Amino acid sequence: MTTTSSPRSSVTADELDDLRADVRGFLRDEIDGGRIVPDVDSWMTGFDPGFSSRLGRRGWVGMTVPTEYGGHGRTPVERFVVTEELLAHGAPVAAHWIADRQMAPGILANGTDEQKRRYLPGIAAGTIFFAIGMSEPDAGSDLAAVRTRAVDNGDTWTISGTKVWTTGAHLAHAMVLLARTDGVPDDRHKGLSQLVVDLPHPDIEIRPIRSIDGQAHFNEVIFHDAVVDKSALLGERGRGWAQVMGELAFERSGPERYLSTMPLLRAWAGQLRAHGATPEQRTTLGTLTAVAWALRGMSLQVADELSAGGKPDVLAAMVKDLGSTFEGDLVNAIRSSSGTIARRDGGTPIERLLAQSVLHTPAFTLRGGTNEILRGIVARGLGIR
């Protein structure tokens, strides 16, 4: 007989402090032992299955998943503490990131018991990785312009179409796909459904898209009349748009939206401590730190609202908009104020971090919805016309 413990409803400040100290100690050991190397944008590009598995063994993946499904029944605030430390230290968390951040909550909210038992224990163990099939060619940030179709055959679905900018699809064990199951594209938000598609699949072609730094963590995913079982449907047929909107609160509000370049800020602060700072550099460092602290408060408020069962969609959009803008501003400010020369190869750690940050900056305000789209969401949520 399976026993189930209810998720914790609250946690004390002392417990959070102890958890943070535990994570910091673990990360120091990982870095000092040479098992991981701190990097910027590590939640997008730092794919290290071994590290994800080690986190899983410590109970730091799938933290908010109920114990009934292999998780740990902890609060979103506890998960926030762990992810905050992982990102600030530049740990390679990309392998499990999408699965843990939004697919676990999405499957919990909308999945069948069979889907929960099939995927959630592996997510919590840090051994099952997910990709998201949302964006499509020629659609920009218009998520509702979905042309990928899933045709109901009775016992199966036949999927045809193309997804693009699909992070980690070449390494994922499954992807959650947004497809049109009913109506026509003019229906926009109607007739869309989500499906969980296992990978690899003989009729799904995954083509790498190389970014400016030569890495290929993005992909184009082409469905050549790929047949999947009827049980692949996630949630209710035709409610895909509403389900995706719920998941995007998790995607847009997390600390990764302002901490992608935090390893660079930490490295520069360490350099100033060691060698001294000019008044202008102290002002720049103080300003960047103050903005990061304010964004942290906003992101933590989202975690609190999620803990209370809320749906902080508007606040999540604000965090993503302000946070991704800040990440780019941070890179430009340090590049200007530090006098550091960005070097991808053969440089010091801060030179390497700056080089990676410069190359990744153009994507900050695009992924997860462009800032223009997010500002529209905020305006509508606040009743501004």
Side-chain angles (χ1 to χ4, degrees):
M1 179 179 177
T2 302
T3 58
T4 306
S5 63
S6 300
R8 304 177 68 183
S9 59
S10 62
V11 60
T12 68
D14 286 343
E15 288 174 316
L16 292 177
D17 289 343
D18 290 343
L19 175 60
R20 189 180 299 278
D22 194 14
V23 177
R24 287 180 176 177
F26 167 77
L27 291 172
R28 280 196 299 269
D29 289 344
E30 290 282 305
I31 294 170
D32 293 345
R35 290 180 291 277
I36 65 172
V37 177
D39 208 349
V40 297
D41 224 13
S42 59
W43 64 275
M44 285 286 290
T45 62
F47 197 96
D48 186 338
F51 181 74
S52 293
S53 179
R54 293 196 293 278
L55 287 179
R57 289 196 294 272
R58 297 185 74 92
W60 293 339
V61 185
M63 292 181 69
T64 60
V65 173
T67 57
E68 178 183 2
Y69 299 112
H72 307 285
R74 302 182 78 165
T75 65
V77 175
E78 288 172 290
R79 181 184 178 276
F80 184 95
V81 167
V82 172
T83 57
E84 187 176 43
E85 291 299 324
L86 292 170
L87 293 167
H89 284 81
V93 295
H96 70 269
W97 193 258
I98 290 172
D100 181 53
R101 178 184 67 186
Q102 69 199 89
M103 292 334 308
I107 291 171
L108 273 171
N110 304 303
T112 63
D113 190 64
E114 177 186 355
Q115 289 170 331
K116 293 173 185 177
R117 296 189 184 282
R118 179 174 183 177
Y119 297 109
L120 293 178
I123 291 176
T127 57
I128 287 184
F129 314 136
F130 267 75
I132 305 172
M134 289 190 187
S135 300
E136 297 199 359
D138 305 319
S141 289
D142 187 1
L143 182 58
V146 173
R147 293 181 293 184
T148 297
R149 296 197 68 91
V151 177
D152 185 355
N153 305 314
D155 294 331
T156 61
W157 298 95
T158 298
I159 305 170
S160 58
T162 301
K163 296 293 181 177
V164 73
W165 309 120
T166 310
T167 305
H170 59 307
L171 301 166
H173 301 99
M175 70 181 297
V176 172
L177 173 73
L178 182 64
R180 192 165 296 283
T181 53
D182 303 279
V184 296
D186 289 343
D187 287 344
R188 301 290 291 170
H189 302 145
K190 299 178 181 178
L192 297 174
S193 302
Q194 287 185 298
L195 296 96
V196 183
V197 179
D198 291 332
L199 297 173
H201 187 289
D203 297 316
I204 299 177
E205 181 182 0
I206 299 175
R207 299 176 179 174
I209 299 174
R210 295 202 174 274
S211 53
I212 194 171
D213 62 358
Q215 297 186 52
H217 52 273
F218 292 128
N219 297 274
E220 181 182 37
V221 182
I222 305 169
F223 297 83
H224 298 287
D225 292 331
V227 177
V228 299
D229 192 79
K230 190 64 174 290
S231 63
L233 180 68
L234 177 64
E236 184 179 339
R237 178 171 176 168
R239 290 198 71 254
W241 182 261
Q243 292 174 194
V244 165
M245 290 300 102
E247 292 167 14
L248 285 176
F250 294 94
E251 177 176 347
R252 289 170 172 165
S253 64
E256 71 270 26
R257 295 306 176 186
Y258 60 92
L259 288 181
S260 294
T261 50
M262 185 56 62
L264 173 63
L265 182 61
R266 287 163 58 94
W268 187 47
Q271 184 182 75
L272 295 181
R273 258 194 320 270
H275 303 291
T278 66
E280 182 270 336
Q281 288 173 329
R282 285 196 294 271
T283 299
T284 299
L285 178 62
T287 300
L288 292 173
T289 303
V291 175
W293 192 254
L295 288 167
R296 179 183 186 269
M298 293 176 65
S299 186
L300 191 54
Q301 183 179 341
V302 174
D304 285 336
E305 292 192 24
L306 290 171
S307 289
K311 294 183 178 181
D313 298 350
V314 173
L315 182 57
M318 292 176 66
V319 171
K320 198 279 181 185
D321 176 19
L322 297 172
S324 58
T325 300
F326 165 72
E327 289 180 323
D329 291 345
L330 183 153
V331 176
N332 292 331
I334 293 179
R335 191 180 190 184
S336 174
S337 186
S338 68
T340 299
I341 303 298
R343 302 180 195 276
R344 292 189 61 198
D345 302 307
T348 64
I350 190 172
E351 290 171 340
R352 182 183 61 81
L353 289 170
L354 181 59
Q356 281 297 96
S357 299
V358 169
L359 293 174
H360 284 228
T361 295
F364 292 160
T365 58
L366 297 176
R367 60 197 185 196
T370 64
N371 285 27
E372 290 78 10
I373 292 292
L374 294 168
R375 289 164 191 169
I377 293 172
V378 173
R380 287 191 297 273
L382 297 177
I384 300 172
R385 298 184 184 276

